[in-house]
Amino acid sequence: MQIQDPRERRRIVSLTPLIDVVFILLFFFMLASTFVQWRSIDLGLTSPEGASASVEGAILVRVHSGGLDLNGRPVALEDLSAAAGRYLERRDGQPVVVQADEGVDLQRLVDVFDRLVAAGAEDLSLQGGTRP
Amino acid sequence: MKLSKPQPRRDTEDYILPLVNIVFLLLIFFLLAGTFKAPDPLEIEPPQSRSEKQAETQGPLTVLLDAQGRLAIDGERLEGEALQQRLAERLAAEEGGVVRLKADAAVDAGRILEVMERLRSAGAQEITLLTALRTG
């Protein structure tokens, strides 16, 4: 009589190919997925001709290579939120115009926008400044 | 003399199963946490902001602007007249004239203003600047 040796029992499904496939899937999802959380800042478009109407009574923030001016007075980026907040308190929905000189990169502009939005600015627009 | 008992040889499966468990967990994490979309034709490192306003990832017209100042729209790089024409076409079909601008953090303000001017002349009324959430 032949008795089967229990040690010789083989698994029906081998694990190794399964793991291979799972690894490949893992790499695919790791490389193909993005985790950037997008945020947005709304900017109004001011036309150069009709600018005077929208600019009237607006808060003017000038961003130049050396720093920031708020309504003509130099201000540090850290103090911008508080300083702009004082102007915005006086009148609700006051437009804020950001004038950017050439040579200023977008990250700096976005930092400025961030602070203005934090101060309660609702009507933001971007304009060209003086050319160097 | 006392000898330690030889350990019974364990099956390789016993070592591999925890590994497979972890890999499965990672797989499910990436499946659920990641979002998928077609890659952009331009490589863009968005500026970071603390803006609370969430941007819709799907939706209206998105204009891409990379660090070298190149423009792309609808997943296609376009220049000059062709771009202007496409913008006008797309904006005519769009209500409200909202354009989303996905620009690189290193783009010069002068170039942004140039692009904004082009968008305005093509009929855009409002621009939504896309930024990434600042981490840390």
Side-chain angles (χ1 to χ4, degrees):
Chain A
M1 199 173 79
Q2 244 189 359
I3 296 171
Q4 219 179 12
D5 185 352
R7 276 172 305 176
E8 272 179 29
R9 174 183 61 96
R10 282 202 54 178
R11 281 191 302 276
I12 302 159
V13 180
S14 167
L15 263 182
T16 319
L18 171 77
I19 295 165
D20 287 349
V21 170
V22 169
F23 260 111
I24 287 169
L25 283 172
L26 180 65
F27 280 122
F28 170 75
F29 284 110
M30 274 174 75
L31 299 176
S33 53
T34 50
F35 292 92
V36 180
Q37 285 182 287
W38 290 100
R39 292 290 191 270
S40 67
I41 297 168
D42 289 336
L43 294 176
L45 281 171
T46 51
S47 60
E49 312 91 60
S52 54
S54 63
V55 163
E56 214 164 301
I59 300 168
L60 181 71
V61 181
R62 231 187 107 214
V63 187
H64 48 88
S65 48
L68 289 170
D69 285 347
L70 176 66
N71 281 354
R73 250 176 264 147
V75 65
L77 185 61
E78 290 73 37
D79 309 327
L80 179 64
S81 205
R86 281 197 287 278
Y87 283 106
L88 286 159
E89 258 171 27
R90 287 183 215 161
R91 193 151 65 85
D92 264 353
Q94 207 172 0
V96 180
V97 174
V98 176
Q99 247 184 26
D101 279 8
E102 270 179 50
V104 174
D105 65 12
L106 183 61
Q107 181 62 64
R108 260 192 82 205
L109 284 179
V110 167
D111 289 340
V112 169
F113 290 146
D114 258 7
R115 264 127 181 134
L116 291 170
V117 169
E122 278 157 20
D123 187 2
L124 277 174
S125 57
L126 182 65
Q127 270 189 3
T130 48
R131 278 155 204 273
Chain B
M1 202 171 79
K2 213 170 160 185
L3 286 170
S4 59
K5 227 159 71 178
Q7 290 281 312
R9 215 177 70 86
R10 292 175 75 195
D11 206 348
T12 45
E13 202 175 287
D14 296 346
Y15 300 107
I16 265 170
L17 275 176
L19 172 77
V20 177
N21 287 342
I22 300 292
V23 169
F24 260 112
L25 277 176
L26 283 171
L27 180 64
I28 290 164
F29 168 75
F30 282 106
L31 259 169
L32 297 178
T35 47
F36 299 94
K37 58 174 196 56
D40 288 333
L42 299 172
E43 208 161 294
I44 284 163
E45 191 67 49
Q48 298 191 321
S49 86
R50 289 198 178 81
S51 174
E52 307 267 300
K53 207 170 161 213
Q54 285 202 2
E56 303 146 47
T57 43
Q58 307 294 317
L61 185 57
T62 307
V63 175
L64 308 173
L65 175 62
D66 81 350
Q68 279 77 47
R70 290 175 299 197
L71 286 159
I73 179 173
D74 295 335
E76 219 184 305
R77 274 187 56 190
L78 289 172
E79 304 286 339
E81 273 306 301
L83 178 78
Q84 210 63 16
Q85 206 176 341
R86 176 72 67 89
L87 275 173
E89 271 170 33
R90 290 291 310 272
L91 278 162
E94 207 89 48
E95 264 180 58
V98 181
V99 179
R100 293 184 308 167
L101 182 62
K102 194 195 269 188
D104 197 281
V107 183
D108 191 88
R111 180 67 180 147
I112 301 257
L113 285 157
E114 231 175 86
V115 171
M116 281 173 77
E117 183 51 36
R118 293 182 76 166
L119 290 171
R120 199 184 58 79
S121 66
Q125 265 135 48
E126 205 183 297
I127 284 183
T128 303
L129 192 64
L130 290 180
T131 60
L133 183 66
R134 185 184 290 272
T135 45

